[in-house]
Amino acid sequence: MAEDWQSVLGQDFARTTARQRRRGLTLMLVCCVALVPWIAFLAATLPVHDESRQWRPAWVGFDMALLAALAATAWAGWRPS
């Protein structure tokens, strides 16, 4: 019968892994929270008209895609494997 991975690798490894996971998830959450006001700032302050026709949608869209990627990464790390 297969043994539990924690019993094979030890409790120290399990604690270290859990701590690293929490730190990574916390960092992802902080990035997501910090990105929301940045997106709002860009949407409000970028010029509507410039030499580039789609300046505002390009940057706001990029940052929204970045937010979605960070949130998906955090969600994948949060749920049990």
Side-chain angles (χ1 to χ4, degrees), residues 36-60:
V36 171
W38 175 247
I39 292 170
F41 172 77
L42 285 179
T45 61
L46 284 176
V48 176
H49 300 288
D50 200 31
E51 288 184 32
S52 173
R53 291 181 177 240
Q54 301 299 324
W55 188 256
R56 183 180 293 182
W59 281 107
V60 172

Side-chain angles (χ1 to χ4, degrees), residues 15-31 74 77-78:
R15 280 192 293 271
T16 301
T17 303
R19 187 175 334 118
Q20 289 174 341
R21 181 175 177 255
R22 280 191 307 272
R23 286 181 183 166
L25 290 172
T26 301
L27 177 62
M28 284 293 145
L29 181 62
V30 167
C31 289
W78 185 264

